[in-house]
Amino acid sequence: MTTHFTDPSLDHISNKVQAGERLSFDDGLTLYNSPDLLGVGSMADGVKRLRHGDRVTFVVNRQINPTNLCVLSCKFCEFASKEGRPDAYVLSEKDMLDRLSPDLREVHIVGGLHAKWSFDDYLNVVRIVKKNFPSIQIKAYTAVEVDFFARREKLSYADVLRRMKEEGVVCLPGGGAEIFSERVRKELFPFKIGWSAWADVHRQAHKLGLRSNATMLYGHIETLEERVDHLLKLRGLQDETKGFLSFIPLAFQPGNTGIVQRPASAVDDLKTIAVSRLMLDNFDHIKSYWVTVGEETCAMALRFGADDLDGTILEERVMHAAKAGSPVGMAKERLSRLIREAGGVPVERDALHRDLETAAA
Ligand code: V47
């Protein structure tokens, strides 16, 4: 089917997409700058349909954020706290177990970098989950945490990751990537790892057979050039390792940070999903994260290239600390309805993006 674009600069890109040719940095910028939102979206939807048809996946999951105490003070983060502040917390073993139930497929563990916790304390969180709920798959610790454990214990990334795998971690979340721009890093998160260390952690994880995700935090002070560069860096790493499961664009929630007045627009959210699908030709899954974009935009994103909604989550803290307007969790039935309303077929998956029937086999 030929699509008629209102923006003629999309014709050339559409020809490349149809011929299965890889898009360039300039193509990425042209897509982002195009006023033809529906044209960009229909191209991305076409690519999504070729890979996944009408299927849209989700997982019955839960997030556990063991502590918000963090040695870092990233300007964009409203989740992190310091000792003595009224909002500071550390979950007890009981707190963690109270949040879990055997019907969960995945638990996503991520939290602050606690000044007094050893690597073993972090591993213990994994042990507690594994011992009490052996059937729940554990997605744990971002590259930022892995780097923190490695420095603290004077271990290599590979050693840290091997220990995590031995305790039962099956994949790593994609957090901590923020935006791979040194300019933005110096401004917003100068003490956090940048691209090179982030990439190395994921490279080592993939070598050990651990799969992982990748994210991009957008809608703050980054430029469109920096977003496209971020996507190309990830595409290059995926060419090298083939270990990434999914890509998740995270719309920045400004809260009280003062960095920007309001979150990215729905148009920007939808374009970011579409551009990600078109540029990341070697990523199977593009997630529309309802927590940051809200339910309405999230459903529309399913016609703009997204094929996954993450999950039920039940208690999201990181974005809600920054006043995200979405609910903190969603029932499985509500997620399915959202998918059906957008014309998709809901498919429940596990943490490794396998359909449930396959996973059970
Ligand atoms: O790295 C922090 C982001 C990330 C804010 O891998 C914020 O399946 C928006 O990575 N507004 C952690 N974002 C969450 C994360 C994630 C989420 C869902 C699924 C997966 C996955 C990973 O949250 C951080 C940072 O980029 N973040 N503060 C904020 N105010």
Side-chain angles (χ1 to χ4, degrees):
M1 196 186 80
T2 326
T3 309
H4 294 286
F5 299 110
T6 57
D7 173 9
S9 67
L10 295 183
D11 287 329
H12 166 66
I13 299 180
S14 173
N15 291 341
K16 281 174 92 171
V17 169
Q18 282 181 29
E21 265 178 61
R22 193 156 250 206
L23 301 186
S24 66
F25 179 85
D26 286 345
D27 294 333
L29 272 188
T30 303
L31 288 166
Y32 252 129
N33 284 316
S34 175
D36 188 356
L37 171 70
L38 295 181
V40 175
S42 73
M43 256 192 269
D45 189 44
V47 173
K48 181 259 167 186
R49 276 167 194 288
L50 274 181
R51 269 188 196 264
H52 302 289
D54 288 335
R55 288 162 47 92
V56 177
T57 46
F58 68 93
V59 62
V60 175
N61 69 350
R62 170 108 215 192
Q63 287 192 8
I64 291 190
N65 312 113
T67 179
N68 62 353
L69 285 168
C70 189
V71 297
L72 297 177
S73 300
C74 303
K75 283 193 194 152
F76 65 83
C77 180
E78 302 249 273
F79 167 73
S81 187
K82 300 287 174 200
E83 198 105 46
R85 267 180 34 184
D87 63 333
Y89 75 85
V90 175
L91 298 184
S92 67
E93 178 165 344
K94 180 175 180 312
D95 293 333
M96 289 188 248
L97 291 177
D98 284 350
R99 285 166 165 75
L100 300 178
S101 52
D103 58 308
L104 292 171
R105 205 33 77 160
E106 171 193 276
V107 59
H108 175 172
I109 310 175
V110 62
L113 308 182
H114 193 302
K116 296 188 189 128
W117 275 22
S118 66
F119 179 31
D120 200 60
D121 291 323
Y122 282 91
L123 285 178
N124 205 36
V125 176
V126 175
R127 276 183 212 120
I128 289 168
V129 175
K130 196 75 206 158
K131 182 164 157 252
N132 292 280
F133 295 93
S135 68
I136 305 180
Q137 293 172 307
I138 301 173
K139 174 170 82 180
Y141 300 137
T142 64
V144 175
E145 287 152 306
V146 171
D147 175 81
F148 180 66
F149 307 152
R151 283 169 193 277
R152 171 147 294 186
E153 311 290 334
K154 299 196 173 36
L155 293 170
S156 68
Y157 291 160
D159 288 336
V160 167
L161 292 159
R162 206 172 289 115
R163 292 291 317 282
M164 284 166 43
K165 191 177 175 191
E166 280 163 10
E167 297 292 353
V169 169
V170 299
C171 58
L172 267 59
E178 323 314 1
I179 191 98
F180 299 132
S181 147
E182 279 303 295
R183 179 190 73 84
V184 178
R185 192 173 76 83
K186 283 190 191 119
E187 184 70 29
L188 296 187
F189 48 99
F191 302 109
K192 194 180 248 187
I193 57 170
W195 158 247
S196 151
W198 190 95
D200 208 30
V201 170
H202 286 262
R203 193 178 279 118
Q204 298 303 328
H206 298 167
K207 270 192 192 155
L208 290 168
L210 284 165
R211 307 297 300 273
S212 69
N213 296 329
T215 57
M216 174 175 79
L217 185 67
Y218 68 95
H220 42 92
I221 62 163
E222 86 292 355
T223 62
L224 293 182
E225 284 81 359
E226 285 163 337
R227 291 192 201 177
V228 176
D229 179 65
H230 187 100
L231 297 175
L232 291 188
K233 281 188 162 74
L234 289 174
R235 189 171 79 183
L237 186 55
Q238 178 75 324
D239 276 344
E240 186 190 320
T241 67
K242 302 184 176 48
F244 286 111
L245 289 164
S246 75
F247 174 70
I248 311 126
L250 298 171
F252 175 56
Q253 309 298 302
N256 295 321
T257 59
I259 295 171
V260 284
Q261 290 312 307
R262 52 183 66 83
S265 67
V267 170
D268 194 5
D269 293 333
L270 294 173
K271 235 184 216 175
T272 300
I273 288 282
V275 175
S276 307
R277 170 59 79 192
L278 292 165
M279 297 303 291
L280 295 177
D281 53 14
N282 53 4
F283 275 65
D284 269 345
H285 304 290
I286 305 291
K287 266 189 212 182
S288 171
Y289 194 48
W290 56 265
V291 172
T292 59
V293 297
E295 287 171 73
E296 292 82 5
T297 307
C298 177
M300 286 189 276
L302 300 179
R303 305 311 293 262
F304 280 74
D307 69 292
D308 189 273
L309 289 187
D310 194 70
T312 48
I313 302 176
L314 298 176
E315 188 195 26
E316 202 288 325
R317 281 180 185 250
V318 178
M319 321 298 173
H320 286 88
K323 303 191 169 47
S326 54
V328 290
M330 272 212 237
K332 185 172 154 176
E333 294 68 29
R334 190 149 162 206
L335 276 181
S336 296
R337 203 178 63 223
L338 214 66
I339 295 169
R340 283 207 189 86
E341 277 174 5
V345 175
V347 178
E348 199 177 331
R349 64 163 172 88
D350 75 353
L352 297 170
H353 285 263
R354 298 174 303 184
D355 291 0
L356 272 201
E357 307 83 75
T358 323

